[in-house]
Amino acid sequence: MSSVQDGARWRRQQIRAVKEALRDLNIQLSLLNRQFGARVELKDADWDCLDLINRQGPLSPSALARVAGLHPATLTGVLDRLQRGGWIVRERDPDATDRRAVTVRARRERNAELYRLFSGMNAQMDQLCEDYTDAELELIADFLRRTTTAGNTATDELSSG
């Protein structure tokens, strides 16, 4: 076998290894999130929505449903649970022409509870990142952002077809 063929085979093996590692990471993060959710009584969809609200700022329910990929009726149940749990507030949108319009805002004072739960994972990640150079961390961050974009594109394709 030629060195070109060996190189191509090695590359395919490495690409497969990256994809398998991402699948393993997905499973492990799902397990971590499930444990986390059990501690604060949040279902997976509840946690996803809370994280989106925390990271993207106040959102309308329709915008949140769109970015979370949830049906509006499903989102209503999620928001009801989050509000009952004291994680979010629904506020009238003073700038909206429709007086019924609301904005969903995270109760940031509750974030300390979340940070405490994730402190172990954050410490593990800090320790792990110490093993990489600044250039390597930049490369890893770029790869993860591009992986997220690929996932968004695949999600859009699946939901539209």
Side-chain angles (χ1 to χ4, degrees), residues 30-154:
S30 292
L31 294 171
L32 177 65
N33 283 339
R34 200 166 303 126
Q35 289 297 315
F36 159 78
R39 294 277 180 101
V40 292
E41 298 179 2
L42 292 174
K43 295 181 178 183
D44 290 349
D46 301 350
W47 162 241
D48 289 343
C49 288
L50 180 59
D51 195 30
L52 286 166
I53 296 165
N54 266 316
R55 294 180 70 210
Q56 296 188 13
L59 294 166
S60 70
S62 59
L64 180 58
R66 204 170 27 260
V67 295
L70 295 174
H71 188 277
T74 302
L75 182 67
T76 298
V78 168
L79 293 178
D80 288 346
R81 286 189 300 275
L82 289 172
Q83 189 169 16
R84 268 193 313 274
W87 295 103
I88 63 156
V89 292
R90 291 173 170 139
E91 301 172 324
R92 294 278 176 223
D93 185 348
D95 299 327
T97 54
D98 182 347
R99 291 184 304 159
R100 297 170 295 173
V102 297
T103 299
V104 180
R105 180 180 56 79
R107 294 188 59 218
R108 299 249 181 216
E109 63 272 16
R110 297 285 312 268
N111 284 351
E113 294 172 60
L114 304 177
Y115 296 143
R116 269 192 308 279
L117 285 174
F118 277 111
S119 65
M121 181 61 173
N122 283 332
Q124 294 277 336
M125 291 302 300
D126 289 343
Q127 187 176 7
L128 176 72
C129 288
E130 288 297 318
D131 293 339
Y132 294 94
T133 67
D134 291 347
E136 289 169 330
L137 289 172
E138 187 176 343
L139 179 67
I140 292 166
D142 176 65
F143 173 78
L144 293 172
R145 281 190 295 273
R146 291 171 67 188
T147 300
T148 300
T149 299
N152 288 337
T153 301

